[in-house]
Amino acid sequence: MEEIIISTLQRTMVAGTPLLLATTGEIICERSGILNLGVEGVMALGAVTAFIVTMTTGSPWLGVLSALAAGMVISIIHAFTSVTLQANQVVSGLALTMLGLGLAGMVGKPYVGKPLTIKMDDITIPVLSDIPYIGKVLFSQSPFFFMAIGLALVSWFFLQRTRLGIQIRSTGENPKATETQGVNVFLIRYMSVIIGGGFSALAGAHLSISYSKSWIEGMTAGRGWIAIALTIFALWNPGRAIWAAFLFGGIFVAQYLMQPLGISPNFLAMLPYIATLLILVLISLKDPRKLNAPAMLAAPYKRGER
Amino acid sequence: MIRLSFTDRYKITRLRALMTNIFSLAAGLVVISIIFLIAGVNPLFAIAEIFQGSFGSMYGFKETITKAIPLILIGAGLTLAFRAKFWNIGAEGQLLMGAIFSTWTGLAFGNTLPSFVIIPLMFAAGFLGGALWGIIPAILKIRYAINEVISTLMLNYICAHILTMLIVGPWKGASRFGFPGTDNLPEASILSVIPGSRIHYVTLILAIACAAILTLVIYRTRFGYEARVVGENPDAGKYAGINFFKTTLILMAVSGGLAGLAGVGEVAGIHHYLSYPASVSSGYGFTAIIVAWLAKLNPLYTIFSGIFFAGILVGGDAIQISLGLPAATVEIVNGTLLIFLIMGDYFLHNKINVTFSRA
């Protein structure tokens, strides 16, 4: 029994890791007032980039870095259309998803189904990992897990306590007033979109080189979209994103736990999507003023307009 | 020194909109060419092959029209939703729900009712299925303020799993020898096609009629006006006493219903039985988003943009075979064209002034 609990919790942490990375990225992006629906596509591109680079160079860390770079570069497209051209952010994000999924499918075609033999060693923190139960769950995990938690905590501190973070938040609340304070709203938004894209790509890298150690089209399986929903669930707060992401990681794992009970696997596969809708319903019962959504989310900002 | 300045363009003529679209698509093709070059494929050859495959031969053209049917139906429905700024990304699921409802109707009554009764009944069932699946996100948005992009997408996944659950479980046909899928629909419930093609003309006529009627609805009726106000100026709409809940429900019932009709066409016209979601629809719900956008959200124009993007789907299949490119190529083409279309919108709405001056 003890082993089952530990392995379930461990898998929950693994399943929640990409969700946390992508959610943190989307939070930074949306805090600056830009809605990026391209997460799913950027995640796929990150997955394929990390996989190919790791396989050809033999270095997972080089894979991670290239995924990060690929995610940041492709996100510039969305930044350009939504910030510079003030285009419709919903459509631009969808286009980015199509492009990302398409590029990933094209580039990754020769690699479909090939197993990755290079292993990324788990990080085990001495002493702490000896704590019964939680030691193995929280302190002996893949580097991505620590990266996800670390980035979420750093992002929380960054958004709440640093000058630049506050500038990002005020850009999302009131770009005009922010601009009059001498802040370059365009630059802030570009930066936030690009950072967010990089985080989404890291989530993809986790899927391909750590979680499943292979690449196949459609492996992101809607995780990018779930991350966008988790952004709302986390009330645009990276600290809350941590437990939101692992709660959903648990739902992903619950599918496999419940399979022996004779429930249709297709029904179980629906769970994360149904849970996403239910959670959004629960959140909506909250007072909208306490939701904390960036006031100018998805509203194009035009310089010099009254 | 060359200085660029941008000013709003207040009057947008139809000609300018058309020219902007053409230039955007051309610019998109240039970028797609570069991607082809990097992939090691001669871009001129690949693009020629796409259009040769879709419009260059009688066979290709018939296939293009066949694939244009769902794109026109869904695209037309999406224009209505998008005008009200209801971002319905769930047409794929609404199509599948239409396919599920109509398959059930066909299997249940196809043996006892004559064609002229069962076929309208199947279309009605398909519309109902799509409409029901479409009003869920409408209710979620108006009552619970849930972002429709997320809810419609989640419902896509949910519907695909429901369909799979049905065809591997209770609806699995005895004639499939254990493979997933329902039995074939009875003869009476199958749509006839133009001989020598797969064009199920009843659905085609329905698609064109829907696009035309919807254009009248949007521009000539009170409901169409209200839908536009909901999107463009919700505050004014509230003062004018527009019932947002009712308007959104109706427009999503129509948008989802039309996607449901497309599902009927795919099942009763093409496949003749219900199989896996990915084979019932080859991403029509997503491609139709670009169809609606290229049509500048005018349902009538989706007839042309639907045929155009159907051509890209058919041509994309052709180059997969002749050039060995992966299926994802079509997605790259679609994504790139959509990005350039929205970039083009900027130049449609803003005038660029170039002034030369000495620095």
Side-chain angles (χ1 to χ4, degrees), chain B residues 178-259:
Chain B
F179 287 103
T182 63
D183 282 325
N184 267 356
L185 288 171
E187 202 59 45
S189 54
I190 284 173
L191 297 170
S192 45
V193 293
I194 295 177
S197 75
R198 299 202 298 164
I199 304 172
H200 38 113
Y201 53 85
V202 177
T203 328
L204 178 64
I205 295 166
L206 199 61
I208 294 172
C210 285
I213 294 168
L214 209 53
T215 311
L216 289 177
V217 168
I218 287 179
Y219 292 105
R220 293 275 184 269
T221 67
R222 189 192 161 84
F223 169 73
Y225 168 75
E226 287 180 347
R228 280 183 291 154
V229 172
V230 165
E232 278 156 29
N233 201 340
D235 290 336
K238 277 184 192 119
Y239 283 117
I242 292 176
N243 185 339
F244 274 53
F245 189 54
K246 200 176 118 197
T247 309
T248 311
L249 273 191
I250 296 175
L251 71 92
M252 271 313 288
V254 173
S255 186
L258 293 191

Side-chain angles (χ1 to χ4, degrees), chain A residues 38-204:
Chain A
V39 182
E40 182 83 3
V42 176
M43 200 187 271
L45 190 70
V48 91
T49 311
F51 185 82
I52 294 175
V53 172
T54 306
M55 193 163 210
T56 44
T57 63
S59 158
W61 285 106
L62 218 52
V64 171
L65 280 179
S66 355
L68 182 68
M72 291 170 101
V73 169
I74 199 169
S75 300
I76 295 175
I77 298 174
H78 184 64
F80 178 69
T81 53
S82 50
V83 180
T84 306
L85 298 184
Q86 294 123 33
N88 184 304
Q89 294 172 19
V90 173
V91 185
S92 170
L94 286 173
L96 187 66
T97 286
M98 287 182 199
L99 188 66
L101 289 174
L103 283 174
M106 189 184 210
V107 178
K109 178 120 194 270
Y111 299 90
V112 170
K114 286 191 184 164
L116 194 68
T117 45
I118 298 131
K119 251 186 79 180
M120 208 175 200
D121 289 325
D122 279 359
I123 295 177
T124 302
I125 297 172
V127 188
L128 286 177
S129 59
D130 296 330
I131 304 170
Y133 291 99
I134 62 162
K136 271 187 192 138
V137 174
L138 294 179
F139 301 107
S140 177
Q141 283 283 0
S142 82
F144 281 100
F145 172 77
F146 296 106
M147 191 161 39
I149 302 248
L151 284 174
L153 291 174
V154 168
S155 301
W156 175 83
F157 182 80
F158 170 71
L159 284 173
Q160 295 299 324
R161 297 289 146 87
T162 66
R163 192 183 174 80
L164 193 56
I166 291 163
Q167 287 177 349
I168 290 178
R169 286 193 292 137
S170 61
T171 297
E173 297 299 333
N174 191 341
K176 201 174 163 51
T178 313
E179 185 116 76
T180 58
Q181 298 289 312
V183 177
N184 187 339
V185 166
F186 275 27
L187 191 69
I188 293 272
R189 287 191 162 174
Y190 260 88
M191 204 185 69
S192 309
V193 174
I194 291 169
I195 294 176
F199 282 22
S200 300
L202 287 181

Side-chain angles (χ1 to χ4, degrees), chain B residues 60-80:
Chain B
F61 187 65
K62 284 189 270 193
E63 276 300 288
T64 300
I65 296 297
T66 310
K67 295 202 175 196
I69 297 171
L71 290 180
I72 296 169
L73 273 170
I74 303 171
L78 289 182
T79 60
L80 178 64

Side-chain angles (χ1 to χ4, degrees), chain B residues 52-330:
Chain B
Q52 177 68 29
S54 51
F55 297 102
S57 70
M58 203 55 209
Y59 168 78
F61 187 65
K62 284 189 270 193
E63 276 300 288
T64 300
I65 296 297
T66 310
K67 295 202 175 196
I69 297 171
L71 290 180
I72 296 169
L73 273 170
I74 303 171
L78 289 182
T79 60
L80 178 64
F82 288 178
R83 269 179 189 271
K85 298 235 159 66
F86 193 101
W87 303 108
N88 177 15
I89 317 299
E92 194 74 9
Q94 291 143 20
L95 181 156
L96 294 178
M97 203 37 102
I100 292 173
F101 271 53
S102 65
T103 305
W104 181 81
T105 312
L107 288 174
F109 305 111
N111 284 320
T112 47
L113 293 173
S115 258
F116 67 91
V117 180
I118 184 68
I119 285 176
L121 211 57
M122 282 169 74
F123 275 112
F127 187 92
L128 183 71
L132 286 177
W133 211 242
I135 62 174
I136 298 173
I139 296 170
L140 289 175
K141 178 167 185 175
I142 304 288
R143 283 275 182 263
Y144 300 100
I146 293 178
N147 184 311
E148 72 277 17
V149 175
I150 295 166
S151 61
T152 49
L153 261 157
M154 294 298 124
L155 288 167
N156 281 346
Y157 289 103
I158 294 171
C159 189
H161 285 298
I162 292 177
L163 196 160
T164 313
M165 215 158 84
L166 287 173
I167 61 167
V168 299
W171 287 16
K172 185 151 86 178
S175 61
R176 296 270 158 238
F177 303 105
F179 287 103
T182 63
D183 282 325
N184 267 356
L185 288 171
E187 202 59 45
S189 54
I190 284 173
L191 297 170
S192 45
V193 293
I194 295 177
S197 75
R198 299 202 298 164
I199 304 172
H200 38 113
Y201 53 85
V202 177
T203 328
L204 178 64
I205 295 166
L206 199 61
I208 294 172
C210 285
I213 294 168
L214 209 53
T215 311
L216 289 177
V217 168
I218 287 179
Y219 292 105
R220 293 275 184 269
T221 67
R222 189 192 161 84
F223 169 73
Y225 168 75
E226 287 180 347
R228 280 183 291 154
V229 172
V230 165
E232 278 156 29
N233 201 340
D235 290 336
K238 277 184 192 119
Y239 283 117
I242 292 176
N243 185 339
F244 274 53
F245 189 54
K246 200 176 118 197
T247 309
T248 311
L249 273 191
I250 296 175
L251 71 92
M252 271 313 288
V254 173
S255 186
L258 293 191
L261 292 183
V264 183
E266 292 311 296
V267 169
I270 307 275
H271 304 288
H272 304 167
Y273 75 100
L274 196 61
S275 61
Y276 275 117
S279 56
V280 174
S281 165
S282 29
Y284 293 127
F286 297 106
T287 311
I289 295 167
I290 325 176
V291 168
W293 207 256
L294 178 61
K296 289 273 178 281
L297 303 188
N298 182 329
L300 197 60
Y301 298 156
T302 59
I303 298 172
F304 308 106
S305 60
I307 293 174
F308 179 78
F309 275 100
I312 289 182
L313 286 182
V314 173
D317 287 343
I319 60 166
Q320 271 180 56
I321 299 159
S322 62
L323 296 173
L325 287 172
T329 316
V330 175

